[in-house]
Amino acid sequence: MQIIPVLDILDGNVVRGVAGRRDEYQPVESVLAAGANPLDIARGYRDALGLKRLYLADLDAIMQGRPNRKLWKKLVDDGFEILVDAGVKTIADAQQVYASGATAAIVALETSPSRELLAELCTQYGPPRVIFSLDLKQGRPLGTLDQWQNPAPFDLAVEAVSLGVEQMIVLDLAWVGTGEGLATEELCRRLLERFTQLQVITGGGIRGPGDLPVVQATGVHGLLVASALHSGRIDRAALDAWRA
């Protein structure tokens, strides 16, 4: 299981996401860097923790249609592998993500207008460069659901796989930044039992190093973490001990 640090970008700063209440997000206070500059925080993830594959949620793009394309390129040029969620709604939006050198574009259920877009991106760019994000809030799917055959979370995920998806984020926004533990464990287990080749990433609510082996036992391939890294609850020593 890979630990994937999160960069939530709002007004050009890294912010601390809590329970999906984006109007309340404030610049992060982190043990990894002074201030909330995205490049400084990213370098803190890499230099202090040895982590260089990042999940970047560009809230300026998602909420206001103002993508931070220069930042994406700076991170890539600095040696980071970035998975970018920029509210992709069109092929052109995805092309901008790929043009930055990003490893993959995230197509999020919350913001994507149709299942057809997901299928087209998988066909045009290939499944390794497309990640479907199954966005939930308190267990309920977010976004426009009328084009999907069944709005139940598991059935949505099954349909996404039928469209060509090989990588999926399963995230309940209500748990993000709360430190109350992972809420998606059962759903992740069901998906991995059904699709043995599916790459599943999850996150939200991670409290500290004690959660790492518990999440790993679900079989997921990646874990999104932010607050526990910024607070120092999960540090380099904890990561090294877990990996040992």
Side-chain angles (χ1 to χ4, degrees):
M1 181 179 76
Q2 185 178 42
I3 304 300
I4 305 173
V6 175
L7 290 175
D8 285 316
I9 308 298
L10 183 62
D11 295 329
N13 293 312
V14 179
V15 294
R16 181 169 181 256
V18 180
R21 299 190 297 267
R22 290 170 179 160
D23 57 335
E24 300 177 15
Y25 286 8
Q26 296 295 321
V28 73
E29 295 182 4
S30 178
V31 300
L32 300 171
N37 178 274
L39 192 56
D40 291 343
I41 295 288
R43 287 171 174 166
Y45 284 143
R46 181 180 60 197
D47 298 344
L49 303 175
L51 304 171
K52 67 174 188 176
R53 189 180 191 219
L54 311 176
Y55 170 98
L56 192 156
D58 192 334
L59 299 176
D60 290 322
I62 293 169
M63 298 169 62
Q64 303 169 17
R66 296 189 291 104
N68 291 282
R69 298 188 196 101
K70 291 182 179 179
L71 170 62
W72 308 346
K73 186 68 165 57
K74 283 182 181 178
L75 289 166
V76 171
D77 289 346
D78 211 60
F80 293 97
E81 301 173 32
I82 57 173
L83 316 175
V84 176
D85 182 356
V88 168
K89 295 182 176 67
T90 65
I91 295 293
D93 290 341
Q95 288 172 337
Q96 290 178 353
V97 174
Y98 296 129
S100 73
T103 301
I106 294 168
V107 182
L109 180 65
E110 180 183 9
T111 53
S112 177
S114 70
R115 60 194 292 282
E116 284 74 18
L117 174 64
L118 181 61
E120 187 173 354
L121 287 170
C122 287
T123 299
Q124 184 167 335
Y125 292 99
R129 301 206 71 190
V130 179
I131 301 176
F132 174 63
S133 184
L134 180 59
D135 300 324
L136 311 171
K137 195 164 188 179
Q138 296 182 336
R140 298 179 179 178
L142 296 173
T144 303
L145 306 176
D146 55 359
Q147 294 192 24
W148 295 82
Q149 295 175 8
N150 189 323
F154 182 77
D155 293 315
L156 280 168
V158 170
E159 189 173 354
V161 172
S162 76
L163 298 173
V165 167
E166 296 179 2
Q167 301 180 86
M168 187 178 303
I169 293 170
V170 180
L171 189 65
D172 193 316
L173 294 177
W175 292 76
V176 167
T178 64
E180 296 181 1
L182 188 69
T184 58
E185 180 178 352
E186 181 181 352
L187 179 55
C188 290
R189 286 185 187 277
R190 288 184 66 196
L191 288 170
L192 290 164
E193 287 171 0
R194 175 74 173 268
F195 303 106
T196 57
Q197 300 304 312
L198 182 64
Q199 301 282 309
V200 175
I201 299 169
T202 192
I206 300 303
R207 293 164 292 201
D211 285 337
L212 301 183
V214 176
V215 178
Q216 187 173 29
T218 67
V220 299
H221 302 81
L223 178 63
L224 304 176
V225 187
S227 296
L229 301 179
H230 292 308
S231 68
R233 295 194 303 273
I234 296 179
D235 57 12
R236 185 63 175 263
L239 290 174
D240 290 344
W242 165 65
R243 293 187 183 111

